[in-house]
Amino acid sequence: MKTGFFSCLLISLLLTSCETSQQILNSLPTTVGGQTNTTQIAAALKEALTIGTQNSANRLSAVNGFFANAALKILMPPEAQKVESTLRNVGMGSVVDKAVLAMNRGAEEAAKSATPIFVNAIKQMSITDAMGILKGGDFAATNFFKQKTTADLTSAFRPVIAEALKKVDATKYWGDVFSLYNKFSSTPVNTDLSSYVTEKAVAGIFLEVGLEEQKIRKDPAARVTDLLKTVFGSAAAQTK
């Protein structure tokens, strides 16, 4: 089987419907050059996912990776929004702003630990997993990562976030927020800041991974290695 046909096969699997992809897979010979087709496809997919998750983690771990991203910026939890409104109304908005900035800085610091967790999940990915992703929906890879890495990301993020929050006095600001609020309210508010920020940080990582998955599937500019250019590029040219 020629390389061009293999390239066309892979891009077809990524961009066609699940039913069509299954029909293509069922029609393939068992081996190509002594290796199974699925092994070669899995290798290409793992490289794509490695690049995608690294890109996501790098963007979010940069300064303002969370804070300057409107879709990901971590704000006060819903149960504390009344606190925020009250404090701003009495001229204490700067305290709230410091707390919000500190939460986002903690998430950015924690995101630095995401890449090795994703890479480990990719290394352990079976051929069956890879083919399931190829035959799945547009966010099949992202859903795979949610299933395989959420617990590890949460465990890794929480102590980093707790330390980062402490380092930038976020816990102090948080305490200041609720101390001030409690002066004006008979109902005290007690929120686990580290847990809340960790949950939001993990959700943000998966949102970015999902966006990166779409780039790898559909955007030629996102194919930045020779393998990805060969597998995706030549196929795209043949389908025009």
Side-chain angles (χ1 to χ4, degrees):
M1 185 180 293
K2 296 181 180 179
T3 301
F5 178 77
F6 170 71
S7 301
C8 187
L9 159 70
L10 183 53
I11 196 68
S12 297
L13 287 171
L14 286 170
L15 300 182
T16 56
S17 68
C18 297
E19 181 179 358
T20 303
S21 297
Q22 185 60 61
Q23 292 173 350
I24 295 173
L25 288 170
N26 290 340
S27 68
L28 289 175
T30 304
T31 62
V32 178
Q35 291 184 312
T36 62
N37 293 318
T38 52
T39 298
Q40 294 185 30
I41 293 171
L45 177 65
K46 286 183 177 184
E47 180 168 312
L49 294 179
T50 298
I51 292 170
T53 53
Q54 287 176 342
N55 287 344
S56 298
N58 288 342
R59 278 196 299 271
L60 295 190
S61 63
V63 175
N64 290 329
F66 275 86
F67 187 72
N69 188 324
L72 300 178
K73 184 177 180 180
I74 302 174
L75 304 174
M76 287 288 189
E79 60 269 31
Q81 288 177 357
K82 184 178 179 181
V83 178
E84 178 178 358
S85 178
T86 299
L87 291 177
R88 291 191 185 281
N89 287 339
V90 297
M92 297 295 180
S94 63
V95 176
V96 178
D97 292 338
K98 288 178 181 179
V100 170
L101 177 61
M103 288 190 293
N104 285 273
R105 289 292 184 258
E108 290 158 9
E109 183 69 22
K112 296 177 182 178
S113 63
T115 294
I117 293 173
F118 284 129
V119 170
N120 184 58
I122 292 168
K123 288 180 178 178
Q124 296 182 23
M125 182 184 292
S126 67
I127 291 177
T128 300
D129 291 331
M131 299 312 294
I133 289 171
L134 288 172
K135 293 182 285 182
D138 284 349
F139 295 96
T142 303
N143 291 333
F144 169 84
F145 284 125
K146 285 182 179 180
Q147 179 184 4
K148 298 295 184 180
T149 68
T150 294
D152 288 340
L153 287 172
T154 300
S155 296
F157 276 25
R158 180 155 183 148
V160 174
I161 284 174
E163 181 61 28
L165 293 175
K166 180 180 178 181
K167 185 186 302 183
V168 295
D169 284 335
T171 50
K172 175 182 180 299
Y173 295 136
W174 190 252
D176 289 346
V177 166
F178 288 106
S179 293
L180 288 168
Y181 175 75
N182 289 337
K183 291 180 179 180
F184 303 97
S185 174
S186 59
T187 306
V189 175
N190 182 19
T191 301
D192 185 341
L193 180 60
S194 294
S195 178
Y196 170 72
V197 177
T198 298
E199 180 182 347
K200 289 295 185 180
V202 171
I205 281 284
F206 286 133
L207 178 59
E208 281 297 297
V209 168
L211 294 175
E212 195 66 29
E213 179 177 359
Q214 297 311 292
K215 287 183 182 180
I216 294 296
R217 288 179 182 272
K218 300 176 182 179
D219 183 3
R223 303 162 196 156
V224 296
T225 71
D226 290 340
L227 177 57
L228 294 180
K229 289 175 182 177
T230 298
V231 170
F232 292 95
S234 61
Q238 291 182 36
T239 57
K240 290 182 179 180

